[in-house]
């Protein structure tokens, strides 16, 4: 089984458990935790590939519910050294690691994406193995999320999932105040995502902004009138929020982040690896690393 994982969840959890300035200096046990996790993974029938957030990682995320970020340079440097010594492949994405993960899966370089959360589905990943403990050996907390299972449910497609996330809150914006996932799910049944995403993908910016204004008016009108009774009642307060408070919803920058993410495939590029394959660990190098960084 070939799988890929982002390192940001690991790094984020460690730098929340230990102070940023002492990460990977030997004064905390962060490297011991990473070492033990990689040791466990090395005993599984896996070919893992790890992806780090890159230099163009978007720093305007607003969600507080997901693990993300770029960790202390020394911690990431030691993490990368350990991966090589264990025989695991890795690379730094040009931008968002989660988008890169999704495209690795879409292009068949891996069979699965392993994440502690499931928002990588919004970048188009076909499926996710969701685990709080990255690649846990117990499998007791592993959950499988598949896009085709969502698309086979009544009136729900991938684009609807993205619209629901944009309305009720996602990494790059906090959503519409007062808009629950239930309300946004009901809104999605009106098919608003089809015209929005098609326009975002095909129109020039000026043309899209003209469409954006009309789309917002149609959304406002639907929320007040609920002509097909999908909402159950008029959502007057939500309509007011869109009209008076969230005047740029949906933010074109956020839309582009999900619909046209920066990846290794952008502008006709190629991925840094053609096949995900691990090799035997370098035991001598691991021994020297443990002695040097952890005092073992």
């Amino acid at each position: 089984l070939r799988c890929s994982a982002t390192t940001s969840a690991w790094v984020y959890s460690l730098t929340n458990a230990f102070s940023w300035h002492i990460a990977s200096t030997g004064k905390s046990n962060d490297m011991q935790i990473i070492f033990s996790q990689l040791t466990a993974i090395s005993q599984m029938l896996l070919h893992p590939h790890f992806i780090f957030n890159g230099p163009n990682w978007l720093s305007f995320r607003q969600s507080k519910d997901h693990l993300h970020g770029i960790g202390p340079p020394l911690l990431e440097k030691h993490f990368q050294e350990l991966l090589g010594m264990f025989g695991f492949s890795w690379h730094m994405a040009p931008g968002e690691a989660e988008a890169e993960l999704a495209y690795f899966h879409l292009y068949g370089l891996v069979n699965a994406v392993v994440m502690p959360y499931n928002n990588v589905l919004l970048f188009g990943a076909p499926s996710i193995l969701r685990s709080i403990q990255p690649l846990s050996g117990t499998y007791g907390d592993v959950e499988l999320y598949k896009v085709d299972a969502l698309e086979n449910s009544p009136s729900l497609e991938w684009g609807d999932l993205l619209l629901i996330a944009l309305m009720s809150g996602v990494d790059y914006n906090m959503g519409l105040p007062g808009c629950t996932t239930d309300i946004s799910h009901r809104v999605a049944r009106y098919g608003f995502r089809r015209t929005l995403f098609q326009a975002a993908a095909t129109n020039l910016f000026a043309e899209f902004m003209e469409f954006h204004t009309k789309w917002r008016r149609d959304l406002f009108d639907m929320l007040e009138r609920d002509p097909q009774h999908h909402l159950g009642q008029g959502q007057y307060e939500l309509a007011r929020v869109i009209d008076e408070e969230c005047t740029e919803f949906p933010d074109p920058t956020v839309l582009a982040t999900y619909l046209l993410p920066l990846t290794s495939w952008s502008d006709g590029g190629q991925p840094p690896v053609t096949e995900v394959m691990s090799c035997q660990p370098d035991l001598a190098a691991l021994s020297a690393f443990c002695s040097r960084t952890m005092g073992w």
Side-chain angles (χ1 to χ4, degrees), residues 22-36 38 73-83 85-86 284-296:
I22 64 171
S24 198
T25 62
K27 298 179 181 179
S28 66
N29 62 345
D30 48 3
M31 291 312 302
Q32 289 94 319
I33 293 174
I34 291 177
F35 185 90
S36 65
L38 295 179
L74 184 59
L75 177 60
E76 290 207 337
K77 177 178 180 293
H78 285 168
F79 197 162
Q80 292 162 2
E81 290 177 3
L82 266 182
L83 289 174
M85 295 171 192
F86 270 96
L286 284 171
S287 176
F289 178 89
C290 292
S291 176
R292 172 169 52 89
T293 63
M294 294 181 280
W296 290 1

Side-chain angles (χ1 to χ4, degrees), residues 47-179:
H47 292 292
H49 181 81
F50 294 82
I51 301 178
F52 291 79
N53 282 322
N56 294 309
W57 170 77
L58 298 173
S59 59
F60 61 84
R61 286 184 172 209
Q62 299 181 36
S63 171
K64 298 179 180 179
D65 297 329
H66 298 140
L67 311 178
H68 55 266
I70 297 177
L74 184 59
L75 177 60
E76 290 207 337
K77 177 178 180 293
H78 285 168
F79 197 162
Q80 292 162 2
E81 290 177 3
L82 266 182
L83 289 174
M85 295 171 192
F86 270 96
F88 301 148
S89 60
W90 65 272
H91 81 280
M92 183 172 289
E96 180 74 53
E98 292 172 10
E100 190 86 347
L101 285 170
Y103 277 65
F104 257 61
H105 199 349
L106 281 168
Y107 281 90
L109 289 173
V110 295
N111 307 112
V113 170
V114 181
M115 299 281 287
Y117 41 91
N118 55 25
N119 59 324
V120 74
L121 288 173
L122 301 178
F123 288 105
S127 61
I128 297 173
L129 290 175
R130 184 176 181 270
S131 176
I132 302 301
Q133 287 293 327
L135 295 170
S136 170
T138 63
Y139 306 106
D141 64 343
V142 175
E143 300 173 338
L144 175 63
Y145 291 77
K146 300 183 69 175
V147 166
D148 58 0
L150 295 172
E151 292 179 342
N152 290 333
S153 66
S155 305
L156 187 63
E157 300 178 4
W158 170 80
D160 298 316
L161 181 66
L162 180 53
L163 179 60
I164 291 169
L166 291 172
M167 293 187 68
S168 55
V170 72
D171 276 356
Y172 301 105
N173 76 313
M174 298 300 289
L176 299 170
C179 184

Side-chain angles (χ1 to χ4, degrees), residues 236-249:
Y236 302 104
E237 176 60 19
L238 185 56
R240 185 198 65 79
V241 166
I242 291 175
D243 186 47
E244 299 178 7
E245 297 181 20
C246 301
T247 56
E248 294 186 355
F249 176 84

Side-chain angles (χ1 to χ4, degrees), residues 144-223:
L144 175 63
Y145 291 77
K146 300 183 69 175
V147 166
D148 58 0
L150 295 172
E151 292 179 342
N152 290 333
S153 66
S155 305
L156 187 63
E157 300 178 4
W158 170 80
D160 298 316
L161 181 66
L162 180 53
L163 179 60
I164 291 169
L166 291 172
M167 293 187 68
S168 55
V170 72
D171 276 356
Y172 301 105
N173 76 313
M174 298 300 289
L176 299 170
C179 184
T180 65
T181 53
D182 178 63
I183 293 175
S184 56
H185 187 191
R186 292 171 181 267
V187 169
R189 296 177 63 185
Y190 276 97
F192 274 85
R193 59 91 186 167
R194 295 184 181 91
T195 54
L196 176 66
F197 297 159
Q198 181 180 4
T202 59
N203 290 357
L204 297 175
F205 182 75
E207 296 172 338
F208 174 75
M209 292 311 296
E210 290 182 8
F211 170 85
H212 185 271
T213 301
K214 179 182 182 302
W215 187 89
R216 283 174 48 84
R217 286 199 304 266
D218 292 342
L219 178 62
F220 178 90
D221 182 63
M222 181 277 296
L223 289 170

